Amino acid sequence: MKTICLYFEIHQIIHLKRYRFFDIGTDHYYYDDYENERSISDIAERSYMPALNAIGDMIRDNGKAFKVAFSLSGVGIEQLEMHAPQVLEKLQELNNTGCVEFLAEPYSHGLSSLANEETFALDVKKQCQKIEEYFGKKPTVLRNSSLIYSDDIGGQVAAMGFKGMLTEGAKHVLGWKSPHYVYHCNIAPNLKLLLRDVEFSDDISLRFNNADWEGYPLFADAYIDRIARLPEEEQIINIFMELSALGIAQPLSSNILDFLKALPACAKEKGITFSTPTEICMKVKSVSNLDVPDTLSWVDEERDVSCWLGNAMQREAFNKLYSVADRVRIANDPRINQDWDYLQASNNFRFMTTKPSNVGLDRGIYSGPFDAFTNYMNILGDFINRVNALYPAEIDNEELNALLTTIRNQGDEIEYKDEEITRLRARLEKYEAAEEEKTAVKKTETKKAAPKKAPAKKAPAKKPAEPKPAAEPKAPEAPQVPAEPKEEEKK
């Protein structure tokens, strides 16, 4: 039985402000807050909310028969938290239906998988924690930024414990093979690969409203008929795109949402189901390994990484950024980490591209690739100076790691001792309270056990003593007359 795996990406560009050479060292804030708020509010109103409401209607109307997957970059979630929280609330509402799966991807939506294995693993882990915080589920399938994949990246993803990974069904990789099967990583057989069907996906995301396209207008029943006519053994049809395709790339006036809502009923008539990536990875066996020695993506005709690293400017910026990756990871400073996430975003390198593209590129404030490169390098210069100011370049990474590990261990020891002191104080207070209670009980028992004494007899009151008679006054003594001298004395 054929099944459709429908997946949407949600990511928001962090717009950098105009940053001059003379701002280096004096201004450490790099972002255009007004443009960030304006752009996310606009895309939420014109695309995200109408599209998510339509998907909610599809789940309500079709029950468990319709399923869909999303992935959200960490920096995209941060923008939604600040400027469009209603989008996250709607996603939580859809999550409660049990018909939605959320995938892992790098938090920064950056190119860390091409530069630093440990940074890539930390980037993915951080996003998984954010997804679990919002939706209560730990992702089991990963989608790298712009579906970037190679054998080495697949090995890294398998080592992280993921069951599967999404990537591009590029013709130069598949050759004669079809994207409508499950494959596995060439160096990690336990990691299953789901390949995007380029034609079916781009019919919706790129060509739906193009009046010059030979398939215009596209109707849901005709679209499902094409899927049903595929060879019987080709059972997995992976339709991957950005959610902003519904409302931005293809305006709502094109009736793109009506087309989308008609798909489940048309698929049911043909016996075609909908599945999430994890369900497919769990139920369907791999038919073969996929050999991808060179990196591929879903961008441009080449389906490679040349749109980010195709010229000398891009490679210079990329190498300079990731030259401090280990120090940033070791230091783990909150303010530095936030800037690190935003500066890693792949669109910063995309603005520097000099190659033509069949998809229009809006460079924002930049007049051209060199302007984008100059502005980014000014910001990056200030950022690296801040990193070196915190942790001098003279200290090598191993020494810095050992030093910070010692500091963290001491901090943990102090925290443990504080907890122990708090615990002992609580025990002491409990003990003192128990002793006081025992003392009070003993006093009460002693009072109850003691015999009552008979009241003492009162002594008779003493009669007041009679007053003594006053003493009679003595008669005054007669004055003594001196005796006459004897005869002998006279002589």
Side-chain angles (χ1 to χ4, degrees):
M1 180 182 291
K2 288 180 170 56
T3 189
I4 297 173
C5 180
L6 187 61
Y7 152 80
F8 296 101
E9 154 73 2
I10 298 177
H11 168 62
Q12 180 62 26
I13 291 175
I14 301 296
H15 295 272
L16 302 178
K17 70 180 182 181
R18 180 64 68 179
Y19 195 89
R20 309 292 181 182
F21 175 80
F22 297 103
D23 293 328
I24 298 174
T26 61
D27 184 3
H28 304 315
Y29 193 77
Y30 313 132
Y31 315 108
D32 187 340
D33 290 335
Y34 172 79
E35 183 59 24
N36 285 328
E37 181 177 1
R38 186 206 63 78
S39 60
I40 189 65
S41 300
D42 179 65
I43 199 172
E45 181 181 353
R46 293 169 53 200
S47 172
Y48 290 168
M49 287 307 296
L52 293 176
N53 286 330
I55 291 171
D57 294 339
M58 295 164 73
I59 293 173
R60 185 188 67 245
D61 296 340
N62 298 278
K64 300 293 182 180
F66 176 73
K67 297 177 182 179
V68 65
F70 295 96
S71 74
L72 295 83
S73 68
V75 296
I77 293 176
E78 289 184 14
Q79 291 296 296
L80 292 173
E81 288 174 334
M82 287 188 287
H83 306 304
Q86 68 273 18
V87 175
L88 292 172
E89 292 171 3
K90 188 63 181 180
L91 286 168
Q92 289 175 321
E93 180 184 325
L94 296 179
N95 179 58
N96 293 334
T97 64
C99 299
V100 176
E101 179 180 356
F102 291 91
L103 310 184
E105 73 165 72
Y107 190 96
S108 65
H109 198 269
L111 306 176
S112 56
S113 60
L114 304 175
N116 189 296
E117 184 174 340
E118 292 181 347
T119 299
F120 176 52
L122 188 63
D123 212 7
V124 171
K125 181 180 179 182
K126 187 176 179 180
Q127 188 265 359
C128 288
Q129 291 172 343
K130 197 77 170 177
I131 291 295
E132 192 169 9
E133 175 187 332
Y134 267 99
F135 307 109
K137 300 174 184 177
K138 186 175 181 180
T140 57
V141 175
L142 182 136
R143 178 261 191 202
N144 199 6
S145 307
S146 301
L147 297 188
I148 293 174
Y149 176 80
S150 68
D151 290 337
D152 291 338
I153 294 173
Q156 296 175 41
V157 172
M160 296 179 202
F162 290 100
K163 293 183 174 68
M165 185 173 178
L166 310 187
T167 189
E168 179 77 343
K171 292 181 180 178
H172 71 275
V173 171
L174 284 171
W176 58 268
K177 295 179 181 178
S178 167
H180 303 142
Y181 296 92
V182 174
Y183 296 91
H184 63 261
C185 176
N186 194 33
I187 63 175
N190 291 333
L191 182 74
K192 293 183 177 178
L193 302 176
L194 304 183
L195 308 185
R196 174 178 178 261
D197 186 297
V198 178
E199 182 179 356
F200 282 113
S201 299
D202 288 352
D203 283 351
I204 299 175
S205 62
L206 296 182
R207 295 184 283 267
F208 184 83
N209 194 44
N210 183 3
D212 295 329
W213 173 44
E214 61 181 10
Y216 180 86
L218 181 62
F219 295 102
D221 54 353
Y223 186 80
I224 294 296
D225 282 344
R226 285 167 52 199
I227 294 176
R229 289 196 300 269
L230 292 171
E232 184 178 352
E233 60 274 12
E234 297 186 14
Q235 297 186 355
I236 311 298
I237 296 86
N238 299 309
I239 302 173
F240 304 159
M241 68 191 78
E242 295 178 354
L243 186 62
S244 60
L246 310 179
I248 303 297
Q250 308 304 321
L252 298 181
S253 59
S254 67
N255 295 321
I256 183 69
L257 295 184
D258 292 332
F259 166 84
L260 188 72
K261 288 195 283 188
L263 290 178
C266 295
K268 186 177 180 180
E269 291 179 1
K270 299 292 183 178
I272 299 172
T273 63
F274 287 83
S275 301
T276 63
T278 295
E279 287 178 340
I280 294 173
C281 290
M282 296 293 290
K283 295 178 182 179
V284 182
K285 293 183 179 180
S286 169
V287 296
S288 173
N289 68 310
L290 194 67
D291 186 14
V292 189
D294 298 320
T295 310
L296 62 88
S297 75
W298 72 355
V299 179
D300 294 342
E301 290 295 328
E302 295 84 358
R303 301 291 195 261
D304 58 13
V305 296
S306 60
C307 66
W308 304 290
L309 301 175
N311 62 45
M313 292 185 297
Q314 293 171 311
R315 292 189 293 272
E316 171 67 17
F318 178 82
N319 291 333
K320 188 170 183 179
L321 173 67
Y322 284 101
S323 68
V324 295
D326 291 331
R327 299 181 72 77
V328 171
R329 187 186 69 254
I330 293 168
N332 196 27
D333 180 85
R335 188 69 185 89
I336 292 292
N337 286 346
Q338 184 181 50
D339 291 335
W340 174 250
D341 289 335
Y342 295 166
L343 293 178
Q344 281 191 90
S346 61
N347 58 276
N348 293 315
F349 303 95
R350 174 76 161 159
F351 293 152
M352 304 175 199
T353 187
T354 53
K355 59 179 290 192
S357 173
N358 61 344
V359 179
L361 176 61
D362 181 6
R363 299 183 197 267
I365 63 172
Y366 306 124
S367 59
F370 184 74
D371 187 25
F373 170 75
T374 303
N375 199 70
Y376 183 79
M377 292 302 282
N378 287 340
I379 291 173
L380 188 55
D382 183 79
F383 175 76
I384 292 177
N385 287 344
R386 289 167 56 206
V387 173
N388 291 335
L390 285 174
Y391 311 103
E394 291 77 16
I395 304 176
D396 60 32
N397 289 340
E398 291 184 5
E399 186 179 354
L400 177 61
N401 191 20
L403 178 62
L404 292 178
T405 300
T406 301
I407 293 172
R408 291 189 189 106
N409 289 341
Q410 289 176 345
D412 292 341
E413 186 176 351
I414 292 172
E415 184 179 354
Y416 171 77
K417 288 182 177 179
D418 288 341
E419 292 175 355
E420 186 69 11
I421 290 171
T422 302
R423 186 178 64 83
L424 290 175
R425 281 177 177 169
R427 287 183 61 183
L428 180 61
E429 290 174 359
K430 186 176 180 181
Y431 175 78
E432 290 175 346
E435 288 298 316
E436 289 178 2
E437 186 177 353
K438 287 180 182 178
T439 302
V441 170
K442 284 182 181 180
K443 287 182 179 179
T444 304
E445 291 176 351
T446 302
K447 286 181 180 179
K448 290 181 179 178
K452 294 182 179 180
K453 294 182 180 180
K457 293 181 180 180
K458 292 183 179 181
K462 293 182 180 180
K463 293 181 180 180
E466 295 180 0
K468 294 182 179 179
E472 294 181 1
K474 292 182 181 181
E477 295 181 358
Q480 293 182 357
V481 180
E484 293 184 1
K486 294 181 181 180
E487 280 303 315
E488 291 83 3
E489 291 179 355
K490 285 181 181 181
K491 288 178 179 181

